[in-house]
Amino acid sequence: MKRLNWSILAAALAFVPPLALAQTTTKDVSKKAGEAWDAVKAYTVDKKKDAVAYGRKLVRETDAKIDALEREAAKASGEVKAQRDRDIKELKAKRAQAAKKLDEMGKATASAWDSAKDGFADAYKDLHQAYDKAVKKLK
């Protein structure tokens, strides 16, 4: 069922015009991302399972956004394409770091909880700042 939902989301994002994506992303996503990492930091160790589920949701949403940027990069040529490819490579590296931190958060003991959740929240914030930067270049 999750794969079906993911496919539907990916298909829907395929039809979002890149300029509309950029217009809503730079302002709205930054605010939403800030709220998201604040929400992650607010979870207690008692709610670790919920925090990890929320983190996975955030990473999946980011995957869809990166995929949309990647489709746009494929349409470009020359130096523009090269720059977009570099941006996407950076985003994927930051996404991998966020996923690693999320995994660490899922395995964290009570004594390591605060450090683990802060590590994921910071990695997620870094990922979204890189995403915002890449989207601004599309304008």
Side-chain angles (χ1 to χ4, degrees):
M1 185 67 168
K2 287 184 179 181
R3 184 169 294 287
L4 177 63
N5 289 341
W6 178 248
S7 298
I8 292 169
L9 176 62
L13 287 174
F15 295 103
V16 175
L19 191 52
L21 180 69
Q23 288 173 348
T24 59
T25 300
T26 54
K27 213 178 231 185
D28 300 334
V29 171
S30 291
K31 182 179 178 189
K32 183 179 177 187
E35 292 168 357
W37 66 76
D38 286 342
V40 168
K41 286 185 175 189
Y43 279 101
T44 63
V45 71
D46 297 334
K47 296 290 185 175
K48 180 168 89 169
K49 185 177 176 181
D50 295 338
V52 172
Y54 183 64
R56 285 188 184 123
K57 175 183 173 264
L58 294 173
V59 171
R60 280 192 311 268
E61 289 172 354
T62 303
D63 286 343
K65 294 172 185 177
I66 293 171
D67 288 346
L69 286 177
E70 201 165 21
R71 283 190 301 277
E72 286 304 311
K75 296 175 186 176
S77 62
E79 182 55 36
V80 172
K81 180 171 178 30
Q83 179 59 51
R84 288 184 183 170
D85 288 344
R86 286 189 295 269
D87 291 342
I88 290 168
K89 184 177 179 180
E90 177 186 357
L91 283 171
K92 287 184 176 184
K94 289 183 184 297
R95 189 265 185 224
Q97 181 65 19
K100 177 183 172 194
K101 294 295 185 179
L102 178 60
D103 185 52
E104 290 173 8
M105 188 172 80
K107 295 175 182 175
T109 62
S111 62
W113 174 247
D114 286 335
S115 176
K117 73 176 178 176
D118 288 348
F120 171 70
D122 292 343
Y124 177 76
K125 179 179 179 181
D126 191 36
L127 171 60
H128 267 276
Q129 287 173 339
Y131 174 78
D132 286 344
K133 181 180 166 186
V135 168
K136 286 178 185 176
K137 290 180 184 178
L138 287 175
K139 289 184 175 183

